[in-house]
Amino acid sequence: MREIVRQELLARRLDEQIAARFPVGQRLRILDVGMGRGVQALRLARAGHEVTGLEADAALLHIARETLATEPEGIRERVRLVEGDCRETGVHFLPGAFDVVLCHRVLMESQEPDATLAGLARMLAPRGLLSLLVRNADALALGPGLAGDWDGALDALDPGADRRGTGVRADRLEALTATLAGIAAPLHAWYGIQVFTGWGADAPPPAAEALERLLTAEDRAGRTDPYRRVAALLHLCGARDS
C-alpha cells in the first residue's frame, strides 16, 4: 500500500507544480534520476513529455525496459533509458538540458548528497523544476516509538541522528532548504508524504472507495502543518527563477 500511496501523491503534486509553472500543452524535457521501475517516468511520457530515465541498478532498468516495450510506439519514442549513477549526470547530459529533474528516494543512499544535488541543479534549464523525495530526519523516532521500540526511538531522538538502518540516510527540511538556495534552485513548495501510512507494518491496499478516502486524508495532511512535518517522507520542489 505504501508504494501506491507514495506514487499517487507524487503524481498529484508533480502535476500540480508542472501546471503552475509551465504553459498548458508544453512538451517538457524531463530527467528522472534513479527512476527505479519507471513508474513516474512512464506516467509523464504518457502525458506527452519527453522523458529520460537514469538508473544504476541493472535489474530495475531491465524491468523498466520490459514495461516500456508494452507501451504504444508513440510513447516508446518519447522515453530514453540510460544506465548510470546519479553522480554521472554531467557525463551523460549537457547543462540546462531539462525543464524538470526528478530525484526521488535517491539521496537516501547517496554518500555525497550535496554534490549530487549540485549536479542535478546544473541539468535544469531556466525556470526549471527540481523534485526531491527524501526520508524525513525530523520524524525518525515515530516509527520505532509507535512500535514500542524505545531504544530505537531514543537513538532517533539524538540531535545528530540522520539514519535508521545501514547506509540509509534521512534529511532535514531546514538543511535541504539551505542547500537548494545555495545551488540556485530555491525551495518553491514542499509536502509531507505518508503522514499516516509511513509507520508500522505495511498492508495490502483497501477497496477502491476506502483507498480514495485514504489518499484524500494523506493528501490533505501532507499539505497541512503540523502534520506534514511528521510525515515519513518529504517532497520538496526547488525552482530556478531564470
Side-chain angles (χ1 to χ4, degrees):
M1 182 174 69
R2 287 178 183 167
E3 175 75 7
I4 293 172
V5 171
R6 181 172 66 249
Q7 297 292 0
E8 177 60 26
L9 292 179
L10 274 173
R12 293 183 184 189
R13 276 80 180 269
L14 280 172
D15 288 349
E16 178 181 296
Q17 290 297 319
I18 286 173
R21 194 158 189 84
F22 301 101
V24 175
Q26 179 179 343
R27 178 175 288 187
L28 301 175
R29 301 161 299 164
I30 299 177
L31 173 63
D32 190 352
V33 175
M35 69 169 187
R37 294 176 174 83
V39 174
Q40 294 299 329
L42 288 174
R43 185 187 70 82
L44 290 163
R46 294 180 191 123
H49 303 298
E50 296 179 355
V51 183
T52 299
L54 182 68
E55 175 56 57
D57 188 315
L60 292 176
L61 193 60
H62 178 71
I63 293 172
R65 284 177 173 144
E66 286 190 328
T67 305
L68 180 61
T70 67
E71 296 287 331
E73 182 179 357
I75 294 175
R76 295 199 306 271
E77 291 175 345
R78 290 197 291 272
V79 179
R80 177 191 175 199
L81 302 181
V82 179
E83 185 170 358
D85 188 87
C86 62
R87 296 166 296 182
E88 299 174 348
T89 50
V91 175
H92 297 288
F93 315 113
L94 294 174
F98 298 97
D99 303 300
V100 180
V101 175
L102 313 182
C103 179
H104 296 161
R105 305 184 76 200
V106 173
L107 294 185
M108 298 178 189
E109 300 178 0
S110 174
Q111 300 303 311
E112 301 174 331
D114 290 347
T116 296
L117 287 174
L120 298 180
R122 285 193 289 272
M123 298 298 105
L124 288 174
R127 292 192 52 78
L129 177 70
L130 174 61
S131 172
L132 305 177
L133 183 66
V134 302
R135 290 176 70 238
N136 183 7
D138 289 323
L140 291 180
L142 279 175
L146 291 171
D149 175 8
W150 307 120
D151 288 336
L154 288 168
D155 286 343
L157 285 168
D158 186 292
D162 70 347
R163 62 184 68 226
R164 184 183 64 193
T166 303
V168 181
R169 296 184 59 262
D171 290 279
R172 289 183 162 81
L173 175 64
E174 288 73 16
L176 277 180
T177 299
T179 299
L180 289 172
I183 60 175
L187 185 67
H188 178 69
W190 72 276
Y191 312 90
I193 298 239
Q194 294 179 337
V195 175
F196 306 119
T197 58
W199 315 109
D202 201 2
E209 183 177 348
L211 177 60
E212 186 53 41
R213 289 179 63 80
L214 184 159
L215 288 168
T216 299
E218 283 277 11
D219 188 31
R220 288 183 60 181
R223 299 170 184 270
T224 306
D225 286 327
Y227 304 106
R228 63 178 178 167
R229 289 189 171 270
V230 296
L233 304 171
L234 298 178
H235 180 201
L236 294 83
C237 297
R240 282 211 186 283
D241 294 328
S242 60

Coordinates of all heavy atoms in Angstrom, one line a residue, residues 17 26 40 54 69 79 85 96 102 104 117 121-122 126 131 139 148 174 180 193 207 209 211 218 227 239:
Q17 N 2.5 21.1 -9.7 CA 3.7 22.0 -9.8 C 3.9 22.3 -11.3 O 4.2 23.5 -11.7 CB 4.9 21.4 -9.2 CG 4.8 21.4 -7.7 CD 4.8 22.8 -7.1 OE1 5.4 23.7 -7.5 NE2 3.9 23.0 -6.1
Q26 N 2.7 22.3 -23.1 CA 4.1 22.3 -23.5 C 4.7 20.9 -23.2 O 4.5 20.3 -22.2 CB 4.9 23.4 -22.6 CG 6.4 23.4 -22.9 CD 7.1 24.5 -22.1 OE1 6.5 25.4 -21.6 NE2 8.4 24.4 -22.0
Q40 N 7.0 6.9 -12.5 CA 6.7 8.3 -12.8 C 7.2 8.6 -14.2 O 6.5 9.4 -14.9 CB 7.4 9.2 -11.8 CG 6.8 9.1 -10.4 CD 5.3 9.5 -10.3 OE1 4.8 10.3 -11.1 NE2 4.6 8.9 -9.4
L54 N 17.4 7.7 -15.8 CA 18.8 7.3 -15.4 C 18.7 6.4 -14.2 O 18.1 6.7 -13.2 CB 19.6 8.5 -15.0 CG 21.1 8.3 -14.7 CD1 21.9 7.8 -15.9 CD2 21.7 9.6 -14.1
A69 N 8.4 -1.6 -23.3 CA 8.2 -2.4 -24.5 C 6.7 -2.7 -24.8 O 6.3 -2.9 -25.9 CB 9.0 -3.7 -24.5
V79 N 10.7 8.1 -24.7 CA 11.4 7.7 -23.5 C 12.8 7.2 -23.9 O 12.9 6.4 -24.8 CB 10.6 6.6 -22.7 CG1 11.4 6.1 -21.5 CG2 9.3 7.0 -22.3
D85 N 24.8 6.3 -12.8 CA 24.7 6.7 -11.4 C 24.2 8.1 -11.3 O 24.5 8.9 -12.2 CB 26.1 6.5 -10.7 CG 26.0 6.7 -9.2 OD1 25.7 5.7 -8.5 OD2 26.2 7.9 -8.8
G96 N 21.7 22.4 -18.4 CA 20.5 23.1 -18.8 C 19.6 22.3 -19.8 O 18.8 22.9 -20.5
L102 N 13.7 14.9 -11.7 CA 13.2 14.2 -10.6 C 14.3 13.4 -9.9 O 15.1 12.8 -10.6 CB 12.1 13.2 -11.1 CG 11.0 13.7 -12.0 CD1 10.1 12.5 -12.3 CD2 10.3 14.9 -11.5
H104 N 13.9 11.1 -6.7 CA 13.0 10.5 -5.7 C 13.6 9.3 -5.0 O 13.9 8.3 -5.6 CB 11.7 10.1 -6.4 CG 10.9 11.3 -7.0 ND1 10.0 11.1 -7.9 CD2 11.1 12.6 -6.7 CE1 9.5 12.3 -8.2 NE2 10.1 13.2 -7.5
L117 N 23.2 16.9 -5.5 CA 22.2 18.0 -5.8 C 22.7 19.1 -6.7 O 22.0 19.6 -7.5 CB 21.7 18.6 -4.4 CG 20.8 17.7 -3.6 CD1 20.5 18.3 -2.3 CD2 19.5 17.4 -4.3
A121 N 21.1 20.3 -10.2 CA 20.7 21.7 -10.5 C 21.3 22.1 -11.8 O 20.7 22.9 -12.5 CB 21.2 22.5 -9.3
R122 N 22.5 21.7 -12.1 CA 23.2 22.1 -13.4 C 22.4 21.6 -14.6 O 22.6 22.1 -15.7 CB 24.6 21.6 -13.4 CG 25.6 22.4 -12.5 CD 27.0 22.1 -12.8 NE 27.4 20.8 -12.4 CZ 27.9 20.5 -11.2 NH1 28.0 21.5 -10.3 NH2 28.2 19.3 -10.8
P126 N 16.6 27.3 -17.6 CA 15.9 28.4 -16.9 C 14.5 28.1 -16.6 O 13.7 27.6 -17.4 CB 16.1 29.5 -18.0 CG 17.3 29.2 -18.8 CD 17.3 27.7 -18.8
S131 N 12.5 18.2 -8.4 CA 11.6 17.5 -7.5 C 12.4 16.4 -6.7 O 13.0 15.6 -7.3 CB 10.5 16.8 -8.3 OG 9.7 15.9 -7.4
A139 N 11.4 13.1 11.8 CA 10.3 12.2 12.3 C 10.8 10.7 12.5 O 10.0 9.8 12.6 CB 9.2 12.2 11.2
G148 N 6.8 0.5 19.9 CA 7.2 0.2 21.2 C 8.7 -0.1 21.3 O 9.2 -0.7 22.3
E174 N 15.1 22.0 7.0 CA 15.8 23.3 7.0 C 17.2 23.1 6.3 O 17.6 24.1 5.6 CB 16.0 23.7 8.5 CG 14.8 24.2 9.2 CD 13.8 23.1 9.5 OE1 14.2 21.9 9.5 OE2 12.6 23.4 9.8
L180 N 19.3 24.0 -1.3 CA 18.6 24.3 -2.6 C 18.9 25.8 -2.9 O 19.1 26.2 -4.0 CB 17.1 24.1 -2.5 CG 16.7 22.6 -2.5 CD1 15.2 22.4 -2.2 CD2 17.0 22.0 -3.8
I193 N 4.7 13.2 2.7 CA 4.2 12.0 2.0 C 4.2 10.9 3.1 O 5.2 10.7 3.7 CB 5.1 11.6 0.8 CG1 5.1 12.8 -0.2 CG2 4.7 10.3 0.3 CD1 4.6 12.4 -1.6
A207 N -10.1 -1.6 -0.6 CA -11.0 -1.5 -1.7 C -11.0 -0.1 -2.2 O -10.5 0.9 -1.5 CB -12.4 -1.9 -1.3
E209 N -13.0 2.5 -2.9 CA -13.5 3.6 -2.2 C -12.7 4.0 -0.9 O -12.5 5.2 -0.7 CB -15.0 3.3 -1.8 CG -15.7 4.5 -1.1 CD -17.1 4.3 -0.8 OE1 -17.7 3.2 -1.3 OE2 -17.8 5.0 -0.1
L211 N -9.6 3.3 -0.4 CA -8.3 3.8 -0.8 C -8.4 5.2 -1.2 O -7.5 6.0 -0.9 CB -7.8 3.0 -2.0 CG -6.4 3.4 -2.6 CD1 -5.3 3.4 -1.6 CD2 -6.1 2.6 -3.8
E218 N -4.4 11.5 3.3 CA -2.9 11.7 3.2 C -2.6 13.0 2.4 O -1.7 13.7 2.8 CB -2.3 10.5 2.4 CG -2.2 9.3 3.3 CD -0.9 9.3 4.2 OE1 -0.3 10.3 4.3 OE2 -0.6 8.2 4.7
Y227 N 1.0 18.5 10.6 CA 1.0 17.0 10.2 C 2.1 16.7 9.2 O 2.8 15.7 9.3 CB -0.4 16.7 9.6 CG -1.5 16.9 10.5 CD1 -2.4 18.0 10.3 CD2 -1.7 16.1 11.6 CE1 -3.4 18.2 11.1 CE2 -2.8 16.4 12.5 CZ -3.6 17.4 12.2 OH -4.6 17.7 13.1
A239 N 13.0 25.5 -7.6 CA 12.7 26.1 -8.9 C 13.7 27.2 -9.2 O 14.0 28.0 -8.4 CB 11.3 26.6 -8.9

